[in-house]
Amino acid sequence: MEDEMLGRRAVRSPRAVAGPVPATPFAAVVALLLLAGCGGEPVDAAAPAPVESAAFGPDRAALVLTAFDQADSAASVAGDVEALRTQEIPPALDLSIAAVRRAAYHKRPQPSFQHINPVFAVPAGEATCFLATATLRLAGSELAPTDVSQFVLDTDGQWKLSHNVQIIQPALVTARSIGSQPTTSGGAALDETSRKAVAAEVFARSIGSTTGNRSVVESSPLLDGQFAGGWEVYGQQLAEVGAQVQRTLDRAEWSDCAVTLPTGTLTFLTIHATDTLRPAPGGPATVRMVPQRPDLIATGHRTAVRGKTIRVTRVETFLLLVPAQTVGTSVLGLNDTALTVTAS
């Protein structure tokens, strides 16, 4: 759940991220649940089934989520990356692969999970994505966090998890209010000017900037406390070994599905960023990351990385509630992981 690179903390689901969707076409998912019957015995999700013609609604979304839990939970416990690829796409897949690597490094299997008491927001027309809010039951844990997920119909015709974050306690009522609400396109839910302003402010605040327009994004214990606070500690610890780091925003992406609520638009923002580590002026000739650092563990490195420059690409996912006037956007949850580490 935590990443610490030289003391920097990053938010993540206890599992690896809460569940992705089944790699089976929807019709096969329906077959799985119907054939299971009242006893709920698992059935091969790949079994052929007649094409379902009914409109996609919460009941069908629930079938997708149930079948997904069975498949993805098993893949997570087993640490089976190839099985996870059949259930998820980035950015959720990136986070899950990093979690598998962390679990293997620490020799601790991930717990199985199940979503309970879900509510869904689905499109009014043809369904290519939907949103789900549910309680996450984790085996062996007294914790039962709430998460919000987006499932998309992938290019192979299969439902897969694309986004997932756990949400903070004050956001529970807002997140669960998506139930039975129609979704819209995440990119079209906000105008281009608003999208750029919100993304720029979220990124600036994630690295502790105080020069942006703070009215755009509300003060957040996650963003301004844990995330930006961890970034500050990270920089201080690098300075102690004669190094420095700069983070740049590479691109921002908005999720396929969003939902309009009385308080604003609920949507996912994904930021792709790069950390560039260099020797500080007067410092050593090279900068070094040791194998124990979480960013190296997350990217599969088991040996130290050294170079005149080290670049770490990363992906950060934010669940946002954006008011109609794009003033006072709330951060309801977030996660972050390194994707690659390269030295030159």
Side-chain angles (χ1 to χ4, degrees), residues 131 186-187 189-190 254-255 257-259 265-269 318-322:
L131 299 175
L190 306 173
W254 295 85
S255 55
C257 267
V259 60
T265 298
L266 189 76
T267 185
F268 286 99
L269 166 66
F318 302 86
L319 180 66
L320 305 178
L321 181 66
V322 187

Side-chain angles (χ1 to χ4, degrees), residues 114-136:
Q114 179 186 10
H115 287 95
I116 59 175
N117 301 323
V119 295
F120 302 96
V122 300
E126 181 181 359
T128 57
C129 64
F130 68 88
L131 299 175
T133 298
T135 300
L136 187 64

Side-chain angles (χ1 to χ4, degrees), residues 176-188:
R176 294 197 68 84
S177 70
I178 72 169
S180 301
Q181 297 294 320
T183 63
T184 57
S185 170

Side-chain angles (χ1 to χ4, degrees), residues 184-202:
T184 57
S185 170
L190 306 173
D191 63 82
E192 183 178 3
T193 300
S194 297
R195 292 198 303 269
K196 288 182 177 180
V198 171
E201 182 64 15
V202 167

Side-chain angles (χ1 to χ4, degrees), residues 219-298:
S219 178
S220 163
L222 283 177
L223 183 62
D224 301 308
Q226 183 173 340
F227 209 56
W231 170 257
E232 181 180 4
V233 171
Y234 180 32
Q236 291 172 348
Q237 294 183 335
L238 281 173
E240 291 173 0
V241 295
Q244 58 186 6
V245 61
Q246 179 182 14
R247 178 170 293 173
T248 54
L249 190 158
D250 299 327
R251 69 182 188 277
E253 301 170 342
W254 295 85
S255 55
D256 295 317
C257 267
V259 60
T260 300
L261 305 172
T263 50
T265 298
L266 189 76
T267 185
F268 286 99
L269 166 66
T270 301
I271 286 178
H272 295 265
T274 299
D275 295 346
T276 303
L277 285 69
R278 294 187 177 93
T286 60
V287 62
R288 179 173 181 264
M289 292 175 64
V290 298
Q292 297 84 0
R293 295 308 173 194
D295 280 354
L296 287 187
I297 296 171

